Each structure stands twice: as C-alpha cells, then as structure tokens.
Amino acid sequence: MVTPNWPGVDKEWARTIDVASTSDADAPGTVRRWHLLDNGAQLSRLGLVPAGTLLCVHGNPTWSYLWRTLLAAGSDPAHPWRVVAVDQLDMGYSERTGTFRRLADRISDLGDLTDALGLAGPVVTAGHDWGGVISLGWALAHPQHLAGVVLTNTAVHQPPGSAIPPALRLALHPAIHGWGTTTTDAFLRVTHSLAHPPLPADVRKAYMAPYRGAHRRTGVGNFVADIPVDASHPSFSALTGVAEGLRGLKVPALILWGPRDPVFSERYLKDLLTRLPHADVHRFEGAGHLVAEDRNMAAPIFQWLAGNVAADGGSLEVGALTPGGHRPHQADPEQAEFLPLWDLLGKQAAGPAGADTAVAEMAPDGTVARSLSWQQLDRKILDLAAGLREAGVDSGSRVSLMVPPGVDLTVALYACLRLGAVVVVADAGLGTRGLSRAVKGATPDFLIGIDRALAAASVLGWPGRRISVRELPAARRRMLGVEASLDALARTGAGRGSTQPGDNVDPDAPAAVLFTSGSTGPAKGVLYAHRQLAAMRDTVAATFEIRPGARLVAGFAPFALLGPALGAVSVTPAMDVTAPRTLTASALAAAAAAIDATVVFASPAALRNVLATRDDLDEAGRKALAVIGLLLSAGAPVPEPLLAEVQRLLPRASLHTPYGMTEALPVTDISLEQIQAGDAHAAAGTVVGAGNGVCVGWPVHGALLAVVPLAADGTAPGSQPVTGPGVTGEILVSAPHVKEAYDRLWLTQQESASLPGWHRTGDVGHFDGAGRLWVEGRLAHVVTAPGAVVTPVGAEQAIERLEGVRLAAVTGVGPAGAQAVVAVVETVPAGRKAGPAAPQLAGRVRRAAREAGVQVSAVLEVPAQPTDIRHNAKIDRSRLSRWATRVLAGGRPGKP
C-alpha cells in the first residue's frame, strides 16, 4: 500500500503481512492481511540492536497511529527498542474480515501475528482501551517471551454492583448502536473529542482516515457489541480468564492513567491494582481517555523500561517489592528500634498519667467541648479498631478520613493505623475541586466522614463504603449510603479487640497517604510507611525536646495528630481548620488555658490573625499565653517582624519556624533569636552567603541537606550535591522521615528521587558560612531575566518590610531567558482594584528590590494575593505571572 502522510509517522514504519489464522472465527486455512507500524527494519538499517520489543495494541476506535511517539522514541540510538504497533483485524488499515470477532478471537489473532513475525522475548506489551485486555490475553498466553506489561486506561473486570459507564450503555442501546458506531462516524468523533487539549486538525484527520465509509466501520460496531455487560455475554468467560490470570502475573507492570475519562474511571484502575499490586502507576492529572495524546507517554515508558527490563531480556524480580512497586528499606544495623506511632500513647494510658486528659477540643464559647483521658483514648481506639475489623477494614485497606481535627479524628486515625489500614488524609483546605480530585485519585475502600463530607461524597461520587462519625436518622443514612457510624462500630468492638492490636505491624508497610497543599499545582498524595511516621515523631521530639506530658495547642491541622504520638496532651482550638486565618487570640488563649499549654503549633496566617485580634484578650487570656514556652510556626516562611510581634504576646516562648513540606516535616529549624543573630551577621557582612532569602536554620535531628546548583536556564540539571556556602540550587534532603513515594505518581517520584538517597524538594536556596539554609523560592518560580537568574524570596522579603505592604510576590513575564521582573504587592489597607501601582508606591518597591539585588521592571497592586487555601500564605506566583502578562499587554486587569 502507498503510505499517506500521517503526522508523526515515518513512512518506513508502515508494512503489511499475511498471517495464517487459527481463530475459531475463521475457516481452516484462512489467511488474513494485517497492517502494522514497525520500526524493526529501520533499526536494522541503522545497525542498532534493540533491547527488546514493545508490542502495542490499540483499542476502539483508534488504530496503530496511537503509538507513533513510541515508535519514534524506540528508534532513538540512545535506547533502541523494536516497536510493533498493530492494526487489529477489521480496524485501522488491516483487512475487513466480514466476521464477528470476539475477545477470544482477537487474543488468538494477535498470537497468530506474533508467530508470523517470529517475535521472541523480551517482549513488553502495551495496551489501551480494549487493546489493554487483548494485550494482557497475549501476555498470559506467552509467558516465555514476556518481560513486562504497560497499560493505559483500560479495564479487565466490571466491579460488582456497578453499571457499565453511561457512554458505553448509550453506544450499546439498540436504537443507537448501529447508527452511532457504523452507519455514521459519531462514535469516532465522540472518542476524538475526549482529548485534552483538543486534537490538532491533521491528527484528527489521521485518526479518521481508516474509517471513512460505513463498510470500513463494521469492526467499530462489533467491538462495542462485544463488551461483556454480564455473565451471559459470549465474551464474559474470556474476559474473566484474563482478569483472574493477572493475579499470577509476576513481571513488572506500568500503568499510565488519564483521570478525566468518562469510560474508564478510577474504579477500573483500583480493580487493576488489586490484580497487579506491584504495578508502578502514574496518574496524569488533567489527562483523559486518550492519555497517549494528552501527555508525552514515550519518556516515562522508556525510562521505566530502562529500570525494569535488562538488556539480556531479564526483568526485575517483583516478588521483593511492596505494593506499588517500591523497594522496602534495608535494615540498618545502627538504626534505632522501631516503635509504632502509637507506642507512647499506650504507655501514657498504662502509666500514672492514665487518668489525665489526653485530647480535648474547644467550643466557640471558650469552654472544653469534649475530652478523653489517656485510658479512655486508648480504650476507644481498641474498641473502634475491633469494630472496623468486623466491618471489613483490614490490613492494606484504604480509609479516607473526612473528619475535622479533634477527638473523633484522633480515635479514627489511630484505630485505622493499628489495624494496618492506610489512612488517606486530604483535608477540606484543598477546596471542593482539589479535595474531590484527591479522594478519587486515592480510591479509598472506606470513607469516614462528618455529615457534610458524606453529603459531598454522595453528590460528587467519591469512592468508598460510607461510615458516619455520628449516628444518623435512618432516612438520612439511606440517602447518604451510610453503613455504620463510629459510635456503633465502637460499641460492636467493645471488649472484643486484642488489648494491643497492630503491635506486630510491618514497619515498611504503607501507613498513610497525606496530600500536599496544592499550592504549586494539583495536590499530590504522599505515601508514608509506618517506619517513616514513627521517624517523624522521633524527629519532632528530639529537635524540639517535646517529651511525654507536654501540653500543646494544635492550631495547625497536621500537628493535631502528632500530639498522642508524642505522649503530649493536645487541644484543638475553636477555629475553622480549613482557614487558618480564623484562629483568634481569644480562641488560642482559651485552648491554652484549658490544658495549661506549654507548646503552640500555628501557621503564619493564624499568627497574623492572632495579632490582629489581640486587643480582645482579657487578663486571663494574656496570662495563659504568657506561660507558653515554645511556639512552632510552619507552612510558609515567617517574616522576622511578625515573629517579633508574636514574641511580645508570648514573652516566655522560644519562637521557632521549622522549614519542611508534606514529603518531609520538619527539615530545618531556627529560633527568633537565631534569626536576629543571622540578620546582624548579614548586615555586618561577617557570614558568607547571609541575607538573600529566608533563613530557615540548620538541619533537624537526623537530616542531611545539600543543593544542586542552578543553571543559567533556571533549572537544576546537575547530579553532584553541594553543601558549601553561597551556591544557589535546588534543595535536597535525606532523612529517616522522608516520604516513601508519591502515591500513584511514578514519574513524579522518579524525578524527586533522581539522585539516589536524596529527595529533590523543588525549593531553591543556599547555605551560608555558618551552615544555615536560606530558602529563596520554588524552582518553578525562578525568573530567567536577561543575563541573570532571579530567585523571588529575597526581594519579596525586602519589599514586605516597607510600611503599608502586607504581602509581595516577584514573578516573571515574557519568554524564558528574557523575562521582565514584575513585583505584585498587597497593601494595608487593601487597594480597591487590581492594576498598575501608584507611582510613589512603585518607586518605593523598586528601591527596596534594588537593595536586595533585583531590578524590577514593573510594579502591580492587588487587593489580595492569590494564596493557597490550606495555609492562606503560599502565593500562587504562576497565576500572578499569567495575570501580569495580561495587564502589561494592555488587557483588563480583572482579578488575578
């Protein structure tokens, strides 16, 4: 055949081959003509020896064109692979057979083709849509050749109790099926419309090309008709055979998924992972059904192949991997004895403090709403753990906790951990859209929530069997699909659980998925093992000398859960935990007075509001705050002037601002006194590297830090960690409490761990001559001005010292390498509208930035900076850059 000019396809790849059919759909001796895209001849012509063969199988209604980027990547001399992308019979440019080919026939057809090609191992299959099932069927039938499997948006089983996707139900409807799939090209057009962003016209035309005319679309209609909707369908047994066969598949597996898929939703990914628990998974947030078009799949696939399929055809031994494909940590002979997160909780309950308050939560009127002693807390955890086990929660079950910080969340969290369940914590601070994305991506088996969360779960379709915090009326329970309540489960488990369930927990088993704030892109799930959670507890205790019996006010949600693990009495103040800036001075003082607090955890936004409302304090409140001995503020950099104001309110407290992230908390620590001493050194010029950015101090107990130097293009491409002073680069951290992996974000994890033994934080900074770390911003926010790489935080801090400036952000406008530096400020009082700053303010801002070594080209003003929901402090500089571009181009300012 004459090969048309298909965008992205080398004409040398296209070929046809006649294959003897052994399918039951064909008479004996039948020969079928197949069309392929195959770079094998090209590799041979170039003298390249492939490491193996990628056998790529498309679904319905695409064709081999779907895999063109893999063919191009496989032809790269740096990593040659033979890529064979088939057009299934009756599809693409292969023969129209005139027969109805069932799933079993298609698996047999593929085997006939590979036999004719003489395909031998190592072979890695790649499948999409129904091509995923067919490729897996081939894989199970050819174990002698198989070295791995790659899957994208497919399904091998219909979860019980759930209907097939609405789009497929419509396509199967007798009134629609023939017309929609064969008579017209509607099914193709709808499928192509699922691309994000839309397909270019020439690519869409190439996808349509093999299916022009109803006679060319019979395979499309037959493919839809062969979907096994129930056990009576002729292809049900073949599909079941593939689904069950996967449970014994031990070769490496990679799943690349587009979550915005109306056909293959997250429930199908969840089902695949029950069958291939060792699979590496990457969810491309924002991508959909045509994930191969929405994202660059070639790079992660070939990166994965390099690490999982050896040149001699061998593959990684997956039996040594934990679920998710992560290698368990090797035991360190010098490593401290592992004590589970709840170890001190149990010791407090059994000791002399057993009858004392352990956890409490405050009412808006300043009184204690609820509290539990250590003995009560331990008993409730044991009872609930037993009840949850009766309800089906088991080791490895994922349990989403939609409960505000306080007594209920503490009990539920520790009960789940003691069972070996994996807690999923995605707080409401992510906002409705971010929270929904996080919960669906984590695919929990159970969801424990307050009434409002259960209602949202019902409306937004969150996965998981529902458990309410409180008993609900029968009608409400039915409407929300609630099976039980925590109270009822605790009663069921009362006296039935072991006194110490979970003491034999595997330290390297998954324990929690904690979500990032989403301030620099979609929130990422961060997977922690039990060992790492325990290491976090030990790091906090050793760094800040928090001992059992300490009394802390948890004004920052993540720390509310650490109190019992530290053996510390903890209280949650009356505030909206989804909005830290709602913490008032009176609420903080009431919580402190309730437990005679000695420690306070609070975010910078919370501290700002505490200072703003301090005039409401009465004498008792002032006395309660005056005895605080330690304040920790985390979540965003804390300016020294803010800390100085807080010091006047908490005169006896040592004020610390630990630096960290969801992936590793904390990483460094510094006190106000040390910050002020550093400022003095910077002013005097006595310490190399001091002054640019925010000084966050020295590494915490057990942590090591380094940087990878920045290049002229604003990236950090090097591989040599640097610890000397004055070198700006991406910050690296190594510590026992660094996360296990990013959850179902294999590619992100690979990038973050590209330097063995280190976590790449994505933050930029440098060390000074005293060994302190200075944070200068995010790597993604570095501005590449002509002849200079500008990190934002140093200039922002200088601008925020100006009278009348509340928050400042420095960002870039224009093409990389020639960006103009723009400063965006929020004033006090707030300006009435967004746009160019007044000349006097602009002049002051430029001078302040210049003194910090940054030349600002334009100054803009906003009534309020766009900050993240969780911290109310992290400014979305990428969003500001897009807004500033529009404003400086003469567009209407609007709201950033």
Side-chain angles (χ1 to χ4, degrees), residues 690-717:
N692 181 27
V694 173
C695 184
V696 295
W698 293 269
V700 296
H701 179 79
L704 299 175
L705 297 179
V707 300
V708 175
L710 284 186
D713 62 357
T715 64

Side-chain angles (χ1 to χ4, degrees), residues 35 251 533 556 758 879:
H35 175 261
V251 296
L533 288 182
F556 185 43
W758 296 98
R879 180 173 162 185

Side-chain angles (χ1 to χ4, degrees), residues 868-887:
D868 68 296
I869 300 174
R870 177 186 288 176
H871 301 292
N872 302 153
K874 294 184 178 179
I875 299 173
D876 189 340
R877 293 172 181 81
S878 299
R879 180 173 162 185
L880 282 179
S881 177
R882 294 190 296 271
W883 173 77
T885 300
R886 185 175 74 243
V887 172

Side-chain angles (χ1 to χ4, degrees), residues 775-838:
V775 175
E776 302 179 47
R778 292 287 295 171
L779 187 63
H781 298 154
V782 168
V783 181
T784 53
V789 175
V790 177
T791 55
V793 171
E796 291 169 351
Q797 293 283 299
I799 295 168
E800 287 178 356
R801 293 190 188 99
L802 295 173
E803 184 178 355
V805 175
R806 181 177 180 271
L807 290 173
V810 167
T811 188
V813 170
Q819 291 184 310
V821 181
V822 177
V824 183
V825 297
E826 175 186 333
T827 60
V828 179
R832 297 180 59 186
K833 60 181 181 179

Side-chain angles (χ1 to χ4, degrees), residues 12 27 35 111 127 151 222 317 441 459 469 662 709 751 753 755-756:
E12 191 175 0
H35 175 261
L151 298 171
N222 290 347
E317 175 53 57
V459 171
V469 173
T662 307
E751 293 167 350
L755 296 178

Side-chain angles (χ1 to χ4, degrees), residues 300-647:
I301 287 176
F302 279 88
Q303 183 179 347
W304 180 83
L305 288 172
N308 287 274
V309 180
D312 62 0
S315 61
L316 183 69
E317 175 53 57
V318 299
L321 302 183
T322 61
H326 312 300
R327 287 205 173 277
H329 298 286
Q330 299 300 313
D332 183 347
E334 301 298 322
Q335 196 171 47
E337 177 190 4
F338 168 76
L339 298 173
L341 192 67
W342 53 87
D343 179 69
L344 287 176
L345 188 161
K347 289 177 179 175
Q348 288 288 85
D356 296 343
T357 298
V359 293
E361 57 188 61
M362 302 301 293
D365 64 0
T367 61
V368 176
R370 301 171 65 199
S371 68
L372 292 176
S373 70
W374 289 106
Q375 291 172 349
Q376 290 170 328
L377 176 61
D378 192 48
R379 186 70 260 163
K380 279 188 171 291
I381 290 170
L382 294 173
D383 289 347
L384 181 58
L388 287 170
R389 184 185 286 114
E390 288 286 320
V393 179
D394 202 353
S395 177
S397 296
R398 289 194 167 204
V399 183
S400 177
L401 299 177
M402 296 284 183
V403 187
V407 172
D408 292 322
L409 180 57
T410 302
V411 172
L413 175 96
Y414 284 92
C416 289
L417 290 177
R418 294 187 82 147
L419 284 174
V422 182
V423 295
V424 177
V425 183
D427 64 67
L430 295 176
T432 302
R433 180 180 298 179
L435 181 60
S436 190
R437 184 190 295 122
V439 175
K440 289 182 177 180
T443 57
D445 302 287
F446 295 84
L447 190 155
I448 299 175
I450 58 174
D451 191 274
R452 184 172 61 180
L454 294 171
S458 181
V459 171
L460 299 173
W462 294 344
R465 294 166 57 187
R466 313 291 164 77
I467 297 172
S468 63
V469 173
R470 298 272 174 269
E471 291 281 4
L472 298 177
R476 181 74 173 164
R477 192 166 60 245
R478 286 193 299 271
M479 184 176 72
L480 298 178
V482 171
E483 298 181 16
S485 70
L486 292 184
D487 292 340
L489 291 174
R491 288 195 300 271
T492 299
R496 299 180 61 182
S498 162
T499 56
Q500 297 295 328
D503 283 353
N504 295 321
V505 65
D506 178 2
D508 297 310
V513 176
L514 312 178
F515 277 84
T516 62
S517 67
S519 59
T520 55
K524 300 183 288 291
V526 179
L527 180 65
Y528 276 87
H530 284 275
R531 186 187 302 280
Q532 291 143 353
L533 288 182
M536 182 192 299
R537 171 203 62 203
D538 297 342
T539 297
V540 169
T543 300
F544 304 109
E545 297 183 350
I546 299 176
R547 303 286 181 251
R551 299 169 176 273
L552 65 91
V553 178
F556 185 43
F559 285 106
L561 302 174
L562 262 184
L566 293 165
V569 181
S570 57
V571 61
T572 306
M575 64 182 292
D576 180 355
V577 292
T578 69
R581 60 166 63 107
T582 60
L583 179 62
T584 65
S586 296
L588 177 62
I595 62 168
D596 297 324
T598 57
V599 183
V600 170
F601 291 103
S603 72
L607 293 180
R608 291 182 191 277
N609 198 54
V610 166
L611 291 174
T613 57
R614 58 188 158 183
D615 290 343
D616 297 333
L617 284 172
D618 57 20
E619 187 61 26
R622 292 183 182 279
K623 286 183 178 179
L625 296 180
V627 300
I628 299 295
L630 174 66
L631 178 136
L632 305 173
S633 186
V638 188
E640 186 269 339
L642 174 63
L643 286 176
E645 285 292 304
V646 173
Q647 184 74 83

Side-chain angles (χ1 to χ4, degrees), residues 1-16 35-37 63-65 68 87 92-93 202-203 205-210:
M1 62 177 289
V2 177
T3 306
N5 185 25
W6 299 317
V9 173
D10 189 318
K11 292 184 179 182
E12 191 175 0
W13 299 339
R15 61 177 291 199
T16 58
H35 175 261
L36 325 171
L37 296 179
W63 55 288
S64 56
Y65 185 68
R68 63 193 182 280
D87 283 0
Y93 287 96
D202 57 347
V203 171
K205 182 178 179 181
Y207 271 118
M208 295 290 289

Side-chain angles (χ1 to χ4, degrees), residues 220-249:
V220 175
N222 290 347
F223 234 132
V224 173
D226 197 42
I227 297 171
V229 294
D230 55 41
S232 65
H233 192 281
S235 288
F236 182 83
S237 61
L239 181 63
T240 300
V242 172
E244 293 308 308
L246 290 189
R247 300 188 190 279
L249 198 63

